[in-house]
């Protein structure tokens, strides 16, 4: 891994892309946060009333026929909801202006720049070296194919880790300087946006926790990109599949409501998982074999599981499927066009051939 990391760090294009993406992220954050309206103050009495009404609502639901069977998801989810909120007392609640926190939490484009950075970095780890024919030598080393692939994956994961944290820190510093402090020691539910959050955590805990979740999501993105580049010899196929996946996931993150029957898709959606307001501002339990499971916990487990699966598939593909890059579709078209047009320039006369070589191929036409 150390060799792979040193090798990619020396590439100037990676540093240029890194700076461009960080600056672009801040520009987009500025445009997005400027359009957000400032939230009204959320009084402590309103939050206490919210907590007090949950046991009363539970009793009312239990009187309904659908909730009487204790072996159903509805009953178990109802009991879990009451249990989750029962531990919340409102301790640490502070009435203040949380516009900075709300703007930071609502920003939805953090993952977009992580994806772009992962694609650029992954290109120099597999497609660029494969195009240069370096794998014919590297894959015959005594270290083994799996070890070589693992080093490349760990390198990309480390780079996406750092990039995600750098972007997060930049967003926090920018929002704080422009809109004021975050009130780190206050209870997260002090902001009305996070009233439904079932965790007894402070604003600082929430920011650190979501930073860790974004790092985990960025790691999954890196493993997924490496798997696609390893599974297909043509880079355009890998890019097309990843682009389709990213567009579909972003569409689902915007269109699917947590109250719909398709809310289980949120647990496998990186754009939803990387969004602070969506993850901590909503209360959602997924139906897993009839038992309610927290959406946050389910997402973390799925990210780990999917990441391991992608690594295994990518390692197998890297080890078995290819040694060199197949000619791309554009390359095939260009080769055929050259072959067709070559008949036009075909000649057996040395004078004509030399003239064409000097004027056309060497671009030394005299005007």
């Amino acid at each position: 891994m150390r060799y792979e990391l040193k090798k990619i760090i020396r590439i100037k294009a990676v540093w240029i892309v890194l700076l461009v993406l960080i600056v672009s992220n801040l520009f987009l954050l500025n445009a997005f946060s400027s359009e957000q309206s400032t939230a009204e103050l959320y009084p402590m009495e309103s939050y206490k009333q919210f907590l007090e009404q949950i046991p009363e609502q539970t009793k009312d639901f239990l009187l309904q026929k659908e909730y009487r069977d204790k072996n159903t998801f509805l009953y178990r989810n109802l009991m879990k909801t009451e249990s989750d909120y029962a531990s919340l007392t409102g301790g640490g609640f502070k009435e203040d202006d949380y516009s900075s926190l709300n703007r930071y939490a609502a920003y939805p484009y953090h993952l977009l720049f992580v994806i772009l950075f992962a694609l650029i970095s992954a290109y120099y780890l597999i497609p660029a070296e494969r195009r240069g024919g370096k794998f014919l030598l590297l894959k015959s080393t005594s270290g083994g194919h799996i070890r070589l692939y693992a080093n490349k994956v760990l390198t990309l994961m480390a780079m996406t880790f750092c990039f995600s944290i750098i972007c997060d820190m930049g967003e926090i510093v920018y929002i704080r300087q422009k809109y004021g402090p975050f009130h780190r020691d206050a209870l997260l539910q002090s902001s009305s946006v996070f009233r439904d959050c079932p965790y007894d955590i402070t604003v600082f805990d929430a920011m650190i926790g979501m930073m860790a979740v974004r790092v985990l999501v960025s790691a999954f993105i890196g493993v997924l990109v490496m798997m696609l580049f390893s599974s297909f010899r043509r880079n355009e196929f890998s890019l097309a599949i990843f682009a389709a996946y990213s567009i579909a996931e972003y569409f689902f993150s915007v269109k699917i409501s947590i109250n719909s029957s398709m809310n289980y898709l949120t647990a496998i959606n990186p754009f939803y998982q990387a969004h602070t307001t969506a993850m901590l501002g909503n209360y959602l339990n997924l139906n897993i074999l009839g038992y309610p499971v927290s959406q946050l916990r389910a997402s973390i487990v799925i990210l780990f599981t999917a990441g391991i699966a992608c690594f295994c598939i990518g390692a197998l593909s890297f080890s078995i499927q290819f040694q060199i890059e197949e000619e791309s579709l554009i390359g095939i078209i260009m080769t055929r066009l050259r072959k067709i047009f070559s008949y036009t320039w075909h000649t057996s006369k040395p004078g004509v051939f030399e003239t064409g070589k000097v004027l056309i191929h060497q671009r030394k036409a005299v005007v």
Side-chain angles (χ1 to χ4, degrees), residues 76-147:
R76 292 166 179 163
N77 186 46
L78 185 64
M79 293 297 101
K80 185 178 185 302
T81 303
E82 183 182 21
S83 175
D84 289 342
Y85 285 105
S87 60
L88 300 179
T89 61
F93 190 101
K94 297 181 181 180
E95 296 182 14
D96 213 322
D97 180 16
Y98 292 91
S99 58
S100 297
L101 173 64
N102 297 337
R103 284 183 167 91
Y104 166 75
Y107 182 60
Y109 302 117
H110 175 95
L111 187 61
L112 172 63
F113 294 94
V114 173
I115 289 175
L116 294 176
F117 182 73
L119 284 173
I120 297 298
S121 301
Y123 171 79
Y124 288 101
L125 288 170
I126 288 186
E129 293 190 354
R130 183 174 60 186
R131 179 169 295 175
K134 297 180 181 180
F135 284 162
L136 291 176
L137 174 63
L138 293 176
K139 294 186 69 177
S140 62
T141 58
S142 59
H145 301 170
I146 303 300
R147 181 178 178 181

Side-chain angles (χ1 to χ4, degrees), residues 283-351:
Y283 181 78
L284 175 62
N285 292 320
L286 303 178
N287 187 353
I288 309 296
L289 300 176
Y291 290 88
V293 178
S294 169
Q295 190 270 343
L296 178 59
R297 294 177 181 176
S299 297
I300 293 175
V301 172
I302 289 174
L303 281 174
F304 270 110
T305 306
I308 293 174
C310 289
F311 174 82
C312 293
I313 296 173
L316 183 64
S317 300
F318 184 85
S319 180
I320 297 175
Q321 181 170 346
F322 72 93
Q323 293 287 341
I324 59 175
E325 181 183 18
E326 273 190 359
E327 189 176 6
S328 65
L329 182 60
I330 296 177
I332 294 174
I333 294 175
M334 293 302 296
T335 301
R336 292 182 178 178
L337 287 176
R338 290 191 189 101
K339 186 176 181 180
I340 293 173
F341 286 109
S342 66
Y343 293 105
T344 305
W345 301 102
H346 179 72
T347 178
S348 59
K349 297 180 179 180

